[in-house]
Amino acid sequence: MRASRENTRRAAAPDAAPTKHQQRTEATRRALLQSARRVFARDGFEASRIEDVAAAMGHTRGAFYAHFRTKEDLFFALLEQEAQRRVDRIHKVIGRESTPAARRAAVREFFVSRISDRGWAMLMVEFKLFAVRHPELRPRLAATHRRIRASLRLEGIGDELNDVRKAALEAALAGFSLEHAYDPIRLSRRDAKAILGDVFDALVPQTELCK
């Protein structure tokens, strides 16, 4: 009876605070992701080595394998983290506005401003090329992107922004980011943002949203 009451008490109690070991484990994982973003952006995904990612945070390969099986697994974790960060920012942007037109304008500005994040855009282009060259990896990346796009619910923006249009916006951003990085004299940031704005307007028309 006493044991039963004790079990009931434990079940009713709030989740226990993470232990020091759990905190260190989570801190190491975050550090690995931060290190991977820097190393992948610097050296490219395919050229980067696990040893480089671990060494950049002052650890050995053992720290890596305690959290991830492969370099690809690390990238997918980084992709999920970055995607969640962007989804949270977009929802925050939308939450500050009270009308469909204002929400649309805020999302438009967020979209065109991504041209400044050249490192991440280039890394995504490179990893997609890597996935195309390795057919066993491509379905996983495609499925991950579909899940991420599905999680991006743009309340008040309208149903026009379906998965196909979201993918088209991603493709436009990736292409212009690549061209701007390759020849910023021919395609300045200002021009790239202006054209990306036109692409957004074509894919997310104002007529239905602002009635």
Side-chain angles (χ1 to χ4, degrees):
M1 181 67 70
R2 182 179 302 172
S4 177
R5 285 198 299 268
E6 181 65 23
N7 290 336
T8 301
R9 212 166 29 243
R10 288 177 180 175
D15 293 339
T19 66
K20 289 184 178 180
H21 174 71
Q22 290 171 329
Q23 291 175 346
R24 286 194 299 269
T25 298
E26 181 57 29
T28 300
R29 189 177 189 278
R30 287 197 303 269
L32 278 167
L33 290 170
Q34 292 170 359
S35 177
R37 201 185 199 283
R38 293 193 302 270
V39 174
F40 290 167
R42 183 191 68 200
D43 301 338
F45 173 77
E46 195 157 10
S48 298
R49 303 183 306 162
I50 291 172
E51 294 89 342
D52 299 329
V53 173
M57 54 174 285
H59 286 69
T60 64
R61 289 168 60 100
F64 174 89
Y65 286 114
H67 296 271
F68 303 100
R69 292 186 303 109
T70 65
K71 188 172 65 170
E72 289 78 13
D73 286 343
L74 174 60
F75 182 89
F76 277 103
L78 185 60
L79 173 61
E80 296 275 6
Q81 181 191 68
E82 184 69 16
Q84 187 59 54
R85 183 178 298 155
R86 293 189 181 208
V87 168
D88 290 345
R89 288 181 63 185
I90 291 174
H91 286 165
K92 186 175 181 180
V93 164
I94 293 174
R96 289 199 294 259
E97 308 298 340
S98 58
T99 67
R103 286 190 285 269
R104 178 190 181 279
V107 174
R108 184 184 190 275
E109 176 56 31
F110 178 87
F111 170 69
V112 302
S113 69
R114 293 305 90 207
I115 194 73
S116 300
D117 193 358
R118 187 177 70 177
W120 181 256
M122 295 303 95
L123 184 56
M124 282 306 309
V125 169
E126 183 187 11
F127 192 73
K128 286 181 179 180
L129 287 172
F130 178 81
V132 169
R133 295 189 188 107
H134 297 77
E136 73 282 0
L137 188 63
R138 185 187 58 77
R140 181 182 175 190
L141 181 62
T144 300
H145 272 130
R146 285 194 294 270
R147 187 174 69 254
I148 290 170
R149 284 194 292 269
S151 73
L152 183 56
R153 305 293 298 176
L154 301 178
E155 294 85 357
I157 298 299
D159 297 331
E160 298 85 353
L161 201 57
N162 58 26
D163 188 67
V164 172
R165 296 193 182 197
K166 290 175 186 177
L169 288 172
E170 288 177 15
L173 179 58
F176 278 100
S177 296
L178 180 60
E179 289 299 322
H180 171 61
Y182 169 67
D183 191 351
I185 296 176
R186 181 172 66 91
L187 183 63
S188 68
R189 181 176 302 178
R190 179 179 178 180
D191 289 341
K193 290 180 68 173
I195 299 172
L196 283 172
D198 291 340
V199 172
F200 185 91
D201 292 340
L203 292 171
V204 190
Q206 300 185 57
T207 51
E208 294 299 321
L209 298 176
C210 302
K211 287 181 179 179

